[in-house]
Amino acid sequence: MPGLIGPSDYSQEPPRHPSLKINAKEPFNAEPTRQDLILSYITPVDYFYKRNHGPIPIVEDIDRYSLAIDGLVEKPIHLSMAQIRLLPKYNVTATLQCAGNRRTAMSQQLKVRGVGWDISALGNAVWGGAKLSDVLELVGVSKFTSVTSAGGKHVEFISIDKCKEEKGGPYKASVPLSQATNPEADVLLAYEMNGEILNRDHGYPLRVVVPGVIGARSVKWLDRITIIEEESQGFFMQKDYKMFPPSVNWDNIDWSTRRPQMDFPVQSAICSLHDVDIVKPGKIRIAGYAVSGGGRGIERVDVSIDGGKTWFEASRYQKTGVPYVSDDVGSCDKWAWVLFEAIVNLQSGNADIVVKAVDSSANVQPENVMSIWNLRGILNNSWHHVYVRSTAAKL
């Protein structure tokens, strides 16, 4: 594409914050420390996890960049960044989460394939840009459309990057047209993140943000949007990011038996402590995040200090000074995480501290990771344990 190129090597990667935990160098995949992740409700760009499948694209001339929108539509077009910026701008606070978040813990139980992630492969940002539903009207697709007159049912997002899984081709993914044309779904063509122009790691100059859905569908470095009849046939839709039962292995897997994963399940994790930690007896702070997909709020965060035998409720919050009420659009950000906190009095000895969340549809995290084990290690939302001892106790 004129103005935007996808490099074939890693010689021109952007700088990154030195505190990030690097899980893979090429392509670059990294996450913040647990403590840095929950320093604020809005995740600073430097601490937002980096998930890539190839070298980071380079903008050579922003004035020559344009986004193609074509396929099963009445009037295909090309839009420059200046034209996109003329459309009504929306700011949407949304948490993006990699489907592989907490993969390392799942792999410790039984080996899985994929980049290892601790609990910080997610982040919460204010995304600024044009609603996709507005953009699609420019090619003759009205709001709340499920099928175009030419038979289009899905919206495919195609990047400019180069992925080995696509044999050097671009990353691509799709969402149903009904979701893309629904203004209340808040699907954005984003050019800002936390009030600033996107940086290269996060999709400059333009990316899609699909709130409430695994991060794999929020394609960065957009080259083209195509309206198609069937869902995208790209690798990451058809041969990855699908949820299989524990009985499926690499010898008997049949990718066609599962639909591509979209919404992520209810999730929570403790960020104020390490998985094995030492503290002084007395009051300790247990803090972390909870989030659910599909716009579902967090109804409750339960904490236990005895491995799940007894529970008490943690406080939940988003905006400072504003009480959080699950699914109250007037007081909460429906697509965003909540942070939680509890102060407990820990006596001398060992403690198995556990957290689990319940969302507004009464979905609750499963207790046992092996009940949701899958060969790609995605969607590990089992109870999160940390094992703590006081300075007077031995493990």
Side-chain angles (χ1 to χ4, degrees), residues 97 211-213 263-267 291-297 334-335 359:
Q97 179 176 206
V213 169
D263 290 6
F264 51 80
V266 63
Q267 173 75 282
V291 65
S292 191
R296 293 176 290 275
K334 66 179 292 187
W335 305 113
D359 73 16

Side-chain angles (χ1 to χ4, degrees), residues 50-251:
K50 321 297 182 191
R51 179 67 174 115
N52 299 299
H53 294 85
I56 305 301
I58 299 170
V59 174
E60 294 186 319
D61 185 351
I62 191 61
D63 293 329
R64 295 179 64 208
Y65 168 81
S66 66
L67 172 69
I69 306 177
D70 56 21
L72 300 174
V73 296
E74 296 176 7
K75 41 186 178 181
I77 59 173
H78 283 77
L79 293 175
S80 68
M81 280 304 303
Q83 290 172 311
I84 293 171
R85 286 178 174 274
L86 288 175
L87 294 169
K89 180 190 174 186
Y90 294 85
N91 288 315
V92 175
T93 303
T95 299
L96 294 187
Q97 179 176 206
C98 176
N101 192 30
R102 301 182 60 197
R103 177 180 282 138
T104 295
M106 183 177 281
S107 195
Q108 287 171 349
Q109 299 297 312
L110 184 63
K111 185 71 174 177
V112 301
R113 290 186 188 177
V115 176
W117 296 96
D118 187 36
I119 64 172
S120 302
L122 79 170
N124 190 49
V126 180
W127 307 96
K131 285 198 177 183
L132 182 56
S133 56
D134 289 342
V135 174
L136 292 178
E137 286 191 317
L138 301 178
V139 294
V141 181
S142 301
K143 290 182 173 64
F144 302 106
T145 296
S146 297
V147 185
T148 68
S149 58
K153 298 179 182 178
H154 298 263
V155 181
E156 183 177 48
F157 310 112
I158 304 174
S159 180
I160 197 68
D161 65 348
K162 297 178 179 179
C163 308
K164 66 177 182 179
E165 294 90 346
E166 294 283 5
K167 300 179 181 179
Y171 188 102
K172 58 184 72 171
S174 66
V175 299
L177 183 65
S178 58
Q179 182 177 11
T181 59
N182 181 356
E184 295 182 359
D186 288 330
V187 181
L188 285 188
L189 296 189
Y191 45 80
E192 288 183 1
M193 180 180 182
N194 294 348
E196 300 179 351
I197 294 173
L198 287 171
N199 70 16
R200 287 179 58 202
D201 262 324
H202 295 295
Y204 179 71
L206 191 68
R207 68 172 299 164
V208 65
V209 173
V210 187
V213 169
I214 63 170
R217 313 308 176 211
S218 290
V219 177
K220 298 182 282 188
W221 314 293
L222 282 175
D223 176 29
R224 182 178 300 272
I225 295 176
T226 302
I227 311 303
I228 54 180
E229 183 176 1
E230 304 293 336
E231 65 195 15
S232 173
Q233 295 302 299
F235 178 91
F236 297 100
M237 288 287 288
Q238 300 304 324
K239 296 292 183 69
D240 204 351
Y241 299 120
K242 292 184 176 184
M243 187 67 169
F244 285 91
S247 58
V248 172
N249 57 47
W250 293 105
D251 294 324

